[in-house]
Amino acid sequence: RAYLAPPLPRWHVVDAAEGVSVGRLAARIAPVLRGKHKPGYEPHRHEHGDYVVVVNADDLTFTGRKWKQKLYRHHTGFMGGLKTRTAEEMQRRKPGEVLRRAVLGMLPKNKLRQVYITRLKIYAGAEHPHAANVAGSAVA
């Protein structure tokens, strides 16, 4: 039985300001994090995934009135502790959190999910500290 060394991870840069909606952007990012774009993809191996750097996350777009109508909920653990925030409020508090949650929803709900999401780097502006890593890689 031959052992195949895992491929070296590549770094991809995605510009969120190009006018693509959050869901479509997340649908492009999630398979890259898992490595499904590579010919040697295996679902149980996390080594095949690539890194994705998202820049200009403060310029994300939604269609329709989702900025006001889409709600994100979490529970504090106390009785009556259901907290609700709109997408607009989430984006104002932490740019890119809306995109991160969209990508999380498209990843498998198992122990590899946390491994995959750590490869996603989201930055509000055009600058990011991963220029040296991205230099030797393809740009998605």
Side-chain angles (χ1 to χ4, degrees):
R1 187 160 150 116
Y3 171 75
L4 295 175
L8 292 174
R10 297 173 68 185
W11 289 71
H12 304 268
V13 176
V14 176
D15 189 3
E18 60 190 28
V20 181
S21 68
V22 171
R24 290 176 192 268
L25 194 61
R28 269 185 20 205
I29 292 171
V32 175
L33 292 174
R34 294 185 67 193
K36 291 189 85 170
H37 62 291
K38 295 185 178 181
Y41 167 73
E42 295 174 87
H44 64 283
R45 298 204 46 199
H46 64 86
E47 300 96 355
H48 292 283
D50 287 346
Y51 288 85
V52 177
V53 178
V54 179
V55 293
N56 297 319
D58 49 357
D59 295 332
L60 289 173
T61 58
F62 268 124
T63 57
R65 291 182 281 180
K66 290 190 187 93
W67 283 118
K68 301 256 188 227
Q69 293 179 348
K70 186 168 180 61
L71 300 176
Y72 291 91
R73 297 181 177 95
H74 75 278
H75 203 283
T76 63
F78 291 95
M79 288 194 309
L82 184 65
K83 301 290 183 181
T84 306
R85 288 190 182 142
T86 63
E88 185 178 37
E89 189 178 348
M90 290 277 286
Q91 183 71 355
R92 192 172 6 90
R93 284 174 179 262
K94 187 173 181 187
E97 182 65 15
V98 171
L99 178 64
R100 192 184 78 79
R101 288 195 183 195
V103 172
L104 264 176
M106 296 181 186
L107 292 175
K109 280 65 171 182
N110 57 26
K111 292 182 180 181
L112 291 177
R113 186 184 209 195
Q114 192 59 39
V115 175
Y116 293 140
I117 202 67
T118 55
R119 294 191 191 132
L120 178 63
K121 315 292 183 189
I122 302 176
Y123 297 98
E127 300 296 318
H128 63 86
H130 308 288
N133 297 329
V134 174
S137 266
V139 176

